[in-house]
Amino acid sequence: MRTAKICLAGAAAAAMVGFLAAPAAAAPTDTTDTTFEVLVGTLDIVAPAAADLGDGAPGGVITGQLGVVTVTDSRGAADASWVASVTASVFQTGGGSPPETVLPEEIDYWSGPTTAFTGDGTFTPGQATAANALPLSSVTPLTAFTHGGGSGGNTASWNPTLEVNVPLDSIAGVYSGTVTHSVA
């Protein structure tokens, strides 16, 4: 009888070890909480490094395009609005005497329509047509283009036209100055 009790106890112990050592049943699905971060980007404007508007006589008008200006907004903002503006320096030749100077106010600017854009919101030219051209200034920025509303990233490009109203007393020469676009 003693042998039977030991065998019965041994069988029970073996069964218990087998029960405890059994692998856990795998769940049919499992989840992983996952995160990532979208970083704040920048608001940038790029304009041509140089432009030649052509030539003309004193008292005439010289008209030429500046080249494509592009705003890139990668700020990832909930409100992706921005305003691009433009100013100009005095244009001079020779020694820069009054007859060798063309003031920014004697140069009209018109942005024209977008040449390309991406993103949502409203893209609005500052001066859609030549009839809307406005004089530049070295002090007061002129609105070149705006973007209102929308969210996330966007881009806008335009090719502005400059109309130089050459003063009648201008001296012949190559006049140099700077047109500056900015965005905020």
Side-chain angles (χ1 to χ4, degrees):
M1 188 64 147
R2 202 164 188 196
T3 310
K5 283 185 182 177
I6 292 176
C7 285
L8 189 55
M16 189 61 127
V17 169
F19 177 73
L20 293 175
T29 62
D30 201 2
T31 60
T32 303
D33 291 335
T34 306
T35 62
F36 60 87
E37 181 179 3
V38 176
L39 298 174
V40 174
T42 58
L43 179 61
D44 299 303
I45 192 164
V46 176
D52 183 348
L53 301 179
D55 54 39
V61 177
I62 300 170
T63 302
Q65 288 190 296
L66 194 62
V68 176
V69 177
T70 301
V71 170
T72 302
D73 182 356
S74 61
R75 297 173 295 172
D79 178 4
S81 298
W82 49 258
V83 176
S85 57
V86 59
T87 58
S89 69
V90 171
F91 285 73
Q92 296 179 332
T93 191
S97 67
E100 297 171 304
T101 300
V102 174
L103 301 175
E105 292 77 11
E106 296 170 310
I107 303 172
D108 293 333
Y109 177 100
W110 64 284
S111 58
T114 58
T115 57
F117 69 91
T118 62
D120 58 358
T122 304
F123 298 90
T124 307
Q127 308 77 30
T129 66
N132 304 119
L134 293 171
L136 289 169
S137 170
S138 59
V139 178
T140 306
L142 176 66
T143 297
F145 228 92
T146 63
H147 176 256
S151 61
N154 63 77
T155 63
S157 299
W158 65 95
N159 191 354
T161 301
L162 299 180
E163 297 173 345
V164 181
N165 299 294
V166 182
L168 188 57
D169 66 345
S170 292
I171 292 176
V174 175
Y175 287 71
S176 297
T178 303
V179 175
T180 302
H181 284 87
S182 58
V183 65

